Amino acid sequence: MAAAFPVYGELLERSTALQVLAERGLCQEAAHSFTEGMQLFQLGDAKAALAEFSKVTELAPSFGGGHVFLGLANALTYNIYPAIDNLERAAEIEPDSFAAHYTLAQLNFKLRIPQKGYEAAEHALHCIQNIEQRKMLTQLLREERAREHSGIARPWFNKPFSKTTVWLAGSGFAAMLIALIIHVH
């Protein structure tokens, strides 16, 4: 877990977590819920962690880390729209948060929304603070490009049609009208 989220890596050790969270301005109850959520998250109980991280965001709505992990817990329990909302909220609260932007990019790529994924990855690029984060982002982008290369491309309807495509569509429409006129008479 620490390797995946180096920004919050120091929060994973329970002995220092409460002190670090207090320094970030969290009340004692929110800090306790966050450390409980982290423990549950590390144990693989995303559903129970979801409840704890929800408490954190209620008690400390301006704590971006709470929103990041609430987004992760939502994603792992298949609550996709709340996951996206929480990750976007974390990025709003902490615009320089690598964890928020990276996780949002990762989720968008998994959901096959590459445009939003690349936008979030671009924001994450500007937030990189160490070599591990750079490696993580590079690996994520490499995997996405490989997936795009080997997958079936989705059609983009925001690009203009070529002359050939317009001519073929027009010819097909004209043929359909002629067939309809002949059939009616």
Side-chain angles (χ1 to χ4, degrees), residues 68-81:
V68 168
F69 282 100
L70 180 58
L72 283 168
N74 272 310
L76 291 173
T77 56
Y78 305 105
N79 297 317
I80 300 305
Y81 293 116

Side-chain angles (χ1 to χ4, degrees), residues 18-175:
L18 294 174
Q19 180 183 357
V20 171
L21 293 170
E23 290 171 5
R24 293 190 181 189
L26 260 61
C27 68
Q28 188 174 4
E29 189 179 350
H32 178 72
S33 290
F34 188 79
T35 56
E36 288 296 315
M38 290 299 294
Q39 275 190 326
L40 292 166
F41 201 71
Q42 284 180 310
L43 294 172
D45 192 354
K47 191 173 183 178
L50 179 70
E52 293 298 325
F53 292 135
S54 293
K55 289 179 195 174
V56 173
T57 58
E58 288 173 15
L59 295 168
S62 62
F63 177 51
H67 287 281
V68 168
F69 282 100
L70 180 58
L72 283 168
N74 272 310
L76 291 173
T77 56
Y78 305 105
N79 297 317
I80 300 305
Y81 293 116
I84 292 171
D85 292 343
N86 282 295
L87 292 170
E88 287 175 348
R89 180 73 179 125
E92 284 175 21
I93 293 169
E94 295 180 7
D96 296 333
S97 170
F98 174 80
H101 294 294
Y102 174 84
T103 309
L104 187 58
Q106 190 176 34
L107 181 60
N108 279 310
F109 287 144
K110 289 199 183 298
L111 294 173
R112 304 292 195 265
I113 310 171
Q115 282 181 315
K116 288 188 175 186
Y118 283 118
E119 287 172 16
E122 180 70 27
H123 288 292
L125 179 64
H126 298 296
C127 301
I128 290 175
Q129 296 176 352
N130 56 48
I131 192 73
E132 286 131 12
Q133 291 175 345
R134 182 171 295 281
K135 287 178 183 177
M136 289 169 48
L137 186 59
T138 301
Q139 180 64 28
L140 178 68
L141 292 171
R142 187 177 296 128
E143 289 170 2
E144 179 57 24
R145 289 189 183 112
R147 185 175 20 246
E148 287 176 358
H149 180 70
S150 64
I152 297 173
R154 289 184 174 180
W156 291 97
F157 295 110
N158 59 351
K159 294 181 181 178
F161 292 110
S162 68
K163 289 181 182 178
T164 306
T165 306
V166 172
W167 185 82
L168 285 172
S171 299
F173 183 71

